Amino acid sequence: MSDRTVSYARPMRWGEKRYHSLDFHLRSRFGEKVYRIALNGGMTCPNRDGHIGTGGCIFCSAEGSGDFAGKPTLTIRQQLDSGKKELLSKRPVTSYIAYFQAFTNTYAPVGYLESIFTEAIDDPDVRVLSIATRPDCLDDDVIALLGKLNQIKPVWVELGLQTIHPETTRFIRRGYNMEVFDHAVKRLRGAGVEVIVHIILYLPGETEDMMLQTIDYLNHSDIQGIKLQLLHVLEGTDLAGIYRQKPFYVPDMETYICMLGRCISHLRPDIVIHRLTGDGPKDLLIAPLWTSAKRTVLNRFHQYLKENDIWQGKEYHG
């Protein structure tokens, strides 16, 4: 980023949207709509196997946030073919993101990682390789591999930050500190790899100012994308037990949309927004139930931005 101060006080548009959407970014970059296929590389997580902890993050489902990913018993090629078949049954599609979603997708020997990642990018219809992982699972040999693959097709690494606040970090059992995150971002960017960061809004105990502090921190980080996610309480998680014993605050749709508007108005305009909400598995979702109507939430959000003349970067000065 440039050191000079830039103000974005004038209305900005990305196509028809008031924010830098992933769809706009992909159409601009590849000339067409690109669809994601969620894959399962058969890995686990150091926060589950005892290396860091055994319970995982308190909000993470039994599938390691890969509830919509492919079956690990299938090869990557088979998972891609299955995902294509499902998408093509609904609409004509020619381009895909191979998204390794379940658990920690660099938590394996580098030889194995090279084989499954190469299997994905060798598919001629795959435009991008996207890998969800932890910043403490990026050894030098893994970074070198990702940099090499990035010379073939674009590689994105998605890091689950969730929050910058230590007290919340301890509560959710994230298992690493901000120095580890910052170091991982620096090394990934040094290898030419694009970085996408996951954050969760309305974690228990966090105020709106705390959430905006996380946004501001990321504005000063060399990241290219962000996923904004409302906290989901899912059946079978430790968070569900806490919620049943002593329910914590969960926002209604209008409150969340208002906060989301504040977040994107403070967000650096070049950062691509990969997600604004989520729709956890309906058979596992305990709260908030209104998130299951994802299309309704997004439509209302777009209306809210227009009503209040909000756009990404309106309140950002960098």
Side-chain angles (χ1 to χ4, degrees):
M1 291 185 299
S2 171
D3 290 334
R4 67 186 177 86
T5 299
V6 180
S7 176
Y8 295 89
R10 292 180 298 168
M12 298 183 71
R13 297 290 185 275
W14 292 264
E16 297 179 354
K17 293 189 174 71
R18 290 170 170 256
Y19 57 90
H20 197 162
S21 73
L22 177 61
D23 182 61
F24 176 86
H25 175 72
L26 291 170
R27 288 180 186 273
S28 300
R29 189 167 182 174
F30 298 106
E32 61 182 325
K33 191 171 181 65
V34 184
Y35 291 82
R36 183 186 291 112
I37 297 177
L39 305 172
N40 191 326
M43 283 164 265
T44 182
C45 174
N47 209 5
R48 289 173 178 263
D49 70 359
H51 185 74
I52 292 174
T54 56
C57 295
I58 63 171
F59 51 77
C60 195
S61 71
E63 299 300 321
S65 297
D67 300 277
F68 301 111
K71 298 178 181 179
T73 54
L74 301 177
T75 67
I76 299 305
R77 162 58 61 189
Q78 289 170 331
Q79 291 182 50
L80 284 168
D81 288 345
S82 177
K84 289 181 186 181
K85 184 177 180 180
E86 182 178 356
L87 286 166
L88 286 167
S89 69
K90 302 173 184 176
R91 59 185 71 84
V93 185
T94 59
S95 294
Y96 304 92
I97 298 170
Y99 177 34
F100 285 84
Q101 180 181 30
F103 297 101
T104 301
N105 290 282
T106 57
Y107 192 52
V110 71
Y112 175 73
L113 297 177
E114 183 168 15
S115 68
I116 61 172
F117 295 160
T118 301
E119 188 175 357
I121 63 173
D122 278 350
D123 186 313
D125 299 327
V126 167
R127 300 287 179 263
V128 177
L129 173 65
S130 186
I131 302 163
T133 191
R134 294 170 56 92
D136 54 359
C137 292
L138 290 165
D139 294 338
D140 289 344
D141 55 352
V142 174
I143 295 284
L145 169 64
L146 299 178
K148 182 175 74 172
L149 296 174
N150 191 57
Q151 300 300 312
I152 304 170
K153 289 181 181 178
V155 174
W156 299 346
V157 168
E158 304 193 10
L159 300 176
L161 177 66
Q162 321 311 356
T163 179
I164 66 168
H165 300 287
E167 59 270 34
T168 314
T169 297
R170 288 189 290 270
F171 174 73
I172 65 175
R173 299 198 304 252
R174 191 181 67 190
Y176 67 84
N177 60 34
M178 288 305 299
E179 288 78 9
V180 172
F181 170 81
D182 292 336
H183 187 52
V185 171
K186 181 178 180 180
R187 291 162 63 236
L188 287 166
R189 295 300 297 135
V193 174
E194 296 181 35
V195 178
I196 301 155
V197 178
H198 296 214
I199 68 169
I200 297 179
L201 301 178
Y202 289 99
L203 287 163
E206 290 217 347
T207 64
E208 293 190 354
D209 282 346
M210 291 171 72
M211 297 177 225
L212 290 176
Q213 286 163 10
T214 295
I215 294 290
D216 188 54
Y217 189 95
L218 293 176
N219 280 338
H220 293 85
S221 299
D222 188 9
I223 71 167
Q224 289 64 56
I226 191 169
K227 284 187 173 180
L228 297 153
Q229 170 77 51
L230 174 61
L231 180 66
H232 284 158
V233 182
L234 300 179
E235 195 68 64
T237 63
D238 289 349
L239 187 66
I242 295 170
Y243 184 72
R244 287 195 172 104
Q245 185 176 12
K246 188 178 181 181
F248 47 81
Y249 176 72
V250 176
D252 58 27
M253 184 174 73
E254 203 64 22
T255 301
Y256 178 69
I257 284 171
C258 180
M259 185 60 208
L260 202 55
R262 292 189 68 193
C263 285
I264 76 155
S265 71
H266 284 81
L267 186 66
R268 208 175 74 220
D270 64 285
I271 296 176
V272 178
I273 297 178
H274 289 238
R275 179 191 291 154
L276 287 163
T277 182
D279 51 351
K282 292 181 174 60
D283 58 333
L284 298 180
L285 185 62
I286 296 172
L289 294 176
W290 56 263
T291 60
S292 61
K294 187 174 181 179
R295 179 50 52 191
T296 299
V297 177
L298 290 174
N299 287 341
R300 174 61 190 127
F301 179 64
H302 295 151
Q303 180 185 23
Y304 177 84
L305 295 182
K306 185 176 181 180
E307 289 172 352
N308 293 275
D309 198 26
I310 294 171
W311 60 87
Q312 184 176 341
K314 183 178 182 180
E315 302 298 330
Y316 169 74
H317 300 279

